[in-house]
Amino acid sequence: MASWLSSAAAFVSSLFSTSRQLNLNGVMGMNKRNGAYISRYNPRSKYPLVDDKLKTKIIAQQHGATVPILIGVIEHQAEVKRIHKLVQKWQSFVIKPARGSGGKGILVISAHNNGVYEKPSGQVITSKDVERHISNALAGLFSLGGKNDVAVIENLIKFDDVAFSGFSFEGVPDIRVIVFKGYPVMAMMRCSTAVSEGKANLHQGAVGVGLDLATGKAVRAVQFNQPITHHPDTGRLLSELVVPNWQALLELAASAWEMTGLGYMGTDMVLDKDEGPMVLELNARPGLTIQIANGEGLLPRLQNIERLATPIKYPEPAERVAYARQHFAAQPRL
Ligand SMILES: Nc1ncnc2c1ncn2[C@@H]1O[C@H](COP(=O)(O)OP(=O)(O)O)[C@@H](O)[C@H]1O
Ligand SMILES: [Mg+2]
């Protein structure tokens, strides 16, 4: 059993005391996700659109979505040294493998000067370290299937530090929304921590804050699959988190259906201080920890959408969001 599943199971069983209640609460496991949702609703031919971050950027832009600015792409080992010239005019940037996932191989640089590069923690690395990182990314060290990859260099997003002050430590928080047949069904905010090094991925040690789909307000929070109440580095009370621009964010997530044709998807978005909601990436095999962060299972919500009659004209993103906000509000807690 995957390690997250065993700890998830331990936590869920503490949450709902009997296995019967567990089923009733509709927590979805890996087999069900793969068999009943991913293989059924995600056509194989559409995977390349989301398995490559460069392709995702292009389709998102074609659909009028905003994305982080692309500074450049490094494709071959022989051009690794080009990085220093490429980023000359950019104060801060991110290097990521186009086919990476789970935050693997993402290097966040918050400042640089004369070949000295600084990470969000203040740790300094040399130009040789940066070149080595890119070289490893090109060799496929961090990427799907370990095949050769390309390195994407992106402008560092400046997140809304008023709304999110103290909720994320030295990194940009992202908002993950599970979108099923174009309907947002569950959401969480992922907040960076000292251990996650500027990345908001749960496997890197980020905090997952479940969000009420109706309001964008925090429901509960987890780190390493364990419930927590305060951010581990800043001490901020996580239940105070409210995501601004909620309607716009959900509409952007919902529109990923029109962008990709994938029926079951994890959309990762960020709220840029100046540009508003942006698409960071889309995932065809989103993780299941979002259920732990929300203290609710995905199945009842997915089945709700499956029961909807097929309309003659498919609802627009805004209508789908209205439906989700109405039907998938967080359950009141005791
Ligand atoms: N352009 C960026 N600016 C700031 N932070 C970023 C940027 N791109 C990625 N990150 C950080 O890294 C995390 C993972 O990035 P993402 O593109 O979703 O790749 P992965 O597939 O590895 O999850 C994000 O949640 C965010 O915290
Ligand atoms: Mg991601």
Side-chain angles (χ1 to χ4, degrees), residues 110-159:
S110 49
H112 65 106
N113 194 9
N114 269 335
V116 178
Y117 291 83
E118 195 178 317
K119 296 210 232 175
S121 62
Q123 190 198 339
V124 161
I125 58 173
T126 64
S127 48
K128 280 273 160 290
D129 295 327
V130 174
E131 291 168 20
R132 199 172 313 115
H133 184 88
I134 297 175
S135 181
N136 286 338
L138 297 185
L141 202 68
F142 315 111
S143 309
L144 276 171
K147 294 204 200 90
N148 282 2
D149 203 350
V150 302
V152 177
I153 308 26
E154 245 176 39
N155 184 26
L156 191 91
I157 294 153
K158 307 271 183 305
F159 69 103

Side-chain angles (χ1 to χ4, degrees), residues 53 94 96 100-103 106 154-155 157 172 174 200-201 281:
K53 291 182 169 58
V94 173
K96 55 172 102 171
S101 66
I106 296 192
E154 245 176 39
N155 184 26
I157 294 153
V172 177
D174 73 5
N201 303 83
E281 63 147 351

Side-chain angles (χ1 to χ4, degrees), residues 40-56:
R40 177 139 179 239
Y41 291 100
N42 288 352
R44 288 242 140 236
S45 61
K46 313 277 190 196
Y47 276 62
L49 295 178
V50 295
D51 282 348
D52 182 320
K53 291 182 169 58
L54 276 177
K55 292 198 176 124
T56 312

